Amino acid sequence: MSPESQASEALPSRRRRTPRGGRHRGDESFLLPPGSPTLVLAVPGYARQAGTELAAELARLVEIEHTGQPAYIGHLDGDEASLYGVLAALRQERDELAAVVVPLSTGPDPALDRAVHAAVAAAPVRAVAAEPLGPHPLIAEALHDRLADAGLARADRIRLMTMVTAASGVIVATPGDATAVRQAEVTGVLLASRLAAPVFTASLNDEASVKAAAEQLRMAGAASIALAPHLIGAEPEAMLAPHAAASVGAAHCAPLGAHPALARLAALRYVEALSIALAD
């Protein structure tokens, strides 16, 4: 059977759900046929650390909103509920693809990527690694929502006018080094467009980076500043956000958490990786 015919049989079909109320009306979903490779979310850290319940909620959203099939969670540290253990427990017939591993990360992370690929390579079943969730416009949408939830931005997207919000400038604070900051700038530009306000990016791991971003915002005329954590909440850096905000006199919103946009992205990254694997 040709790769093209395999893809036509194994790839999930896209469907339009009945419109739902709320801000996420019209999300696209994917129907996975029986026997599709398992979607596994790769979560940084240990199984029992703070914030890991977010991964369980995202897995539930992926199942009920987008795929119709169970989604599993594999942690990248420790032996409990480890990614390798989850992959090793999957059943596989012949040389079929058993799993697609989606990194639960807002952007490329060299250390996380190495851990995911090492677990995939060591697994006794055939698996492939998908791209991280971001960068993607949906990340900016989710950050906007979290700022709005905290009263730091207008909930409705601004069109053709400038509105006064609780914050006149935003710092998108991401885990990682200068490379991670550059990658997060894509999200910053998209968020600035949504808010019609200046947005600068900074590293949560570097207090000087946050202070430099705050200074740039004030030089741009921002009288009040909000810090938006560019992370999901299970990352160790999540605990740094309140201190980073306080260090520059800024308010801050919650991490992205189990936002529906992230569940949608997880399903999308799964389908993208599955398409590539079936075409090879």
Side-chain angles (χ1 to χ4, degrees), residues 106 139 142-143 146-147 152 170-175 187 191 202 204 226-233 235 237-242 244-245 251-257:
T106 54
I139 301 289
L143 282 176
R146 292 299 177 236
L147 286 165
L152 299 173
V170 175
I171 300 171
V172 171
T174 190
T187 300
L191 183 61
L204 269 174
L227 183 142
H230 187 250
L231 43 74
I232 295 166
E235 304 90 334
E237 291 87 351
M239 65 182 66
L240 300 178
H252 67 91
C253 65
L256 295 170

Side-chain angles (χ1 to χ4, degrees), residues 94-279:
R94 300 187 299 278
D95 191 34
E96 294 176 354
L97 183 64
V100 175
V101 179
V102 180
L104 200 59
S105 172
T106 54
D109 180 325
L112 185 147
D113 292 344
R114 285 193 297 270
V116 169
H117 284 278
V120 166
V125 296
R126 185 181 167 214
V128 295
E131 293 296 317
L133 303 184
H136 193 279
L138 285 173
I139 301 289
E141 175 187 321
L143 282 176
H144 185 175
D145 284 350
R146 292 299 177 236
L147 286 165
D149 291 341
L152 299 173
R154 183 179 173 86
D156 296 329
R157 184 169 180 171
I158 297 168
R159 293 184 178 91
L160 304 179
M161 64 182 70
T162 299
M163 305 287 292
V164 177
T165 65
S168 51
V170 175
I171 300 171
V172 171
T174 190
D177 56 12
T179 300
V181 172
R182 287 193 296 272
Q183 292 164 343
E185 287 175 353
V186 175
T187 300
V189 170
L190 294 169
L191 183 61
S193 176
R194 297 180 66 92
L195 301 177
V199 175
F200 287 92
T201 55
S203 170
L204 269 174
N205 303 91
D206 182 359
E207 188 171 313
S209 174
V210 176
K211 290 182 176 179
E215 182 62 24
Q216 288 177 299
L217 284 170
R218 292 190 172 106
M219 291 177 63
S224 59
I225 298 173
L227 183 142
H230 187 250
L231 43 74
I232 295 166
E235 304 90 334
E237 291 87 351
M239 65 182 66
L240 300 178
H243 174 75
S247 71
V248 295
H252 67 91
C253 65
L256 295 170
H259 193 285
L262 301 188
R264 183 179 175 188
L265 275 174
L268 176 62
R269 297 307 187 207
Y270 170 95
V271 170
E272 291 172 346
L274 180 57
S275 300
I276 293 172
L278 293 174

